[in-house]
Amino acid sequence: MDMMNDRSGACPRGGAPLPACGRLAASYVPVQPQGCRRYNPEDALAKGTLFPGLDLPWMNVANATPAGWSGTPLGELMSLNFVVQELGLYLDTHPEDREALRYYTEYAALLKQGEETFTARYGPLRQMQVTLEGGYNWVGDPWPWEYGPGCEACERRDD
Amino acid sequence: MFVYEKKLQFPVNIKNVNPRLASIILTQYGGPDGELGASLRYLSQRYSMPYPELKGLLTDIGTEELGHLEIIGALVHQLTRCLSEEQLHTGGFDAYFVDHAAGVYPASAAGVPWSAASMQVKGDTIADLTEDMAAEQKARATYDNILRLSDDPDVNQVIRFLREREIVHFQRFGEALQLVQDRQDQKNIYAVNPSFNAACRKV
């Protein structure tokens, strides 16, 4: 079977093809085939990877995000950001994968949109995003190592 | 250049302080297989990389590792917030506390300050990428060991995320090495070091 062209579902567990007659004294890691199944953004962040074929958790217990985290403004932003970041690494070694590139640009646009809504409500993520109306709130708490009580963006909104 | 983004890659919200656990996790901040070393290794190896995909990958993974350094810093910080007099005497933390109080200092769990001697920039494409793959495995194994020592679910979710990232990075470095070997002399991939011998030849 030509696994490189198997676009039916997940990357086959156990991997992708290696060269039939490999060089001696060389290391081989199978190259991830194109068209692998992907998790949705929320699951991807929870698992720590976008790709089920790479999801190899400790003791075979599924990874998770904290209870109540999904659906929070910061959670949604982190999930989108994670998809873009993970696809970026994939594309670094698969620059010819047009489908992944299309998906990348789609999610980069969603992230940009999400950031605009987020920063309007919770303040800037980058210093340059401060506005005259908002005042110089770049220095406002909480900083990222202070998530917890008082982090509005960490809590689900009722509206 | 680098621009700071005011958010973590993965949420860290620890409810129970635990200075003993903090002094163990600190090793991924400044220990031999930690995130600081990972980041500096990849960002420093970039300069001698001969192919565009490799420059991109080392930049992007090196940048992600800086984000992981921040996650570990957040963990250590939250595990040592508002310590009681009694907690200061916790075994493993008292020796740290006397020098750093509740500051986050890049050192290993045994208190050895971070050292560039724990990483290498060989300037040889195959050697560097092979080191990077080993580095990801060593970090993954360290996270395994942290999970064996920790019973705090808030902490473990974060550690499990970071551990999974090491596996993904191992895969990408492996693909990068594949790409390098495919571009070398197919009879002898060790004939030349493309990051040195080939760099000045393209006129």
Side-chain angles (χ1 to χ4, degrees), chain A residues 23 25 54 81 92 125 138, chain B residues 6-7 60 164 186 190:
Chain A
R23 284 176 292 263
L54 281 170
N81 203 149
D92 286 344
L125 292 160
W138 168 246
Chain B
K6 197 177 172 184
K7 71 172 188 298
D60 294 341
E164 173 60 31
Q186 291 303 293
Y190 300 108

Side-chain angles (χ1 to χ4, degrees), chain B residues 7 11 23 57-58 63 109 137 141 146 149 157 175 193:
Chain B
K7 71 172 188 298
S23 69
L57 187 67
L58 284 164
T63 303
Q137 290 298 349
I146 291 173
L149 291 164
Q157 279 169 339
E175 290 167 347
N193 166 13

Side-chain angles (χ1 to χ4, degrees), chain B residues 32-193:
Chain B
D33 304 316
E35 302 290 354
L36 177 61
S39 181
L40 284 181
R41 177 189 291 111
Y42 307 147
L43 293 178
S44 301
Q45 287 178 355
R46 293 185 296 167
Y47 301 99
S48 58
M49 284 293 159
Y51 307 125
E53 296 90 335
L54 306 183
K55 298 172 201 175
L57 187 67
L58 284 164
T59 300
D60 294 341
I61 297 186
T63 303
E64 184 178 343
E65 306 290 14
L66 276 180
H68 294 174
L69 183 73
E70 187 181 37
I71 289 177
I72 296 289
L75 276 175
V76 172
H77 169 67
Q78 294 186 18
L79 284 167
T80 55
R81 261 190 303 208
C82 312
L83 291 178
S84 68
E85 192 80 7
E86 194 190 328
Q87 285 166 326
L88 294 186
H89 296 280
T90 307
F93 190 71
D94 49 359
Y96 179 87
F97 176 82
V98 73
D99 286 328
H100 313 292
V104 180
Y105 176 74
S108 77
V112 181
W114 184 79
S115 165
S118 62
M119 51 163 270
Q120 176 60 298
V121 179
K122 198 68 191 169
D124 177 285
T125 317
I126 293 178
D128 278 344
L129 288 173
T130 307
E131 158 153 341
D132 300 345
M133 292 167 71
E136 296 295 335
Q137 290 298 349
K138 288 187 279 185
R140 191 265 311 156
T142 307
Y143 285 125
D144 285 3
N145 293 341
I146 291 173
L147 288 167
R148 290 184 179 105
L149 291 164
S150 161
D151 57 5
D152 181 335
D154 292 344
V155 169
N156 290 3
Q157 279 169 339
V158 183
I159 298 296
R160 279 171 158 275
F161 172 84
L162 294 171
R163 177 190 175 279
E164 173 60 31
R165 297 310 294 153
E166 311 296 345
I167 293 169
V168 173
H169 294 168
F170 177 82
Q171 171 67 26
R172 299 292 167 244
F173 282 131
E175 290 167 347
L177 183 58
Q178 215 49 53
L179 182 151
V180 168
Q181 290 172 351
D182 288 346
R183 289 178 194 177
Q184 312 286 80
D185 179 340
Q186 291 303 293
K187 288 202 183 115
N188 176 5
I189 56 168
Y190 300 108
V192 297
N193 166 13

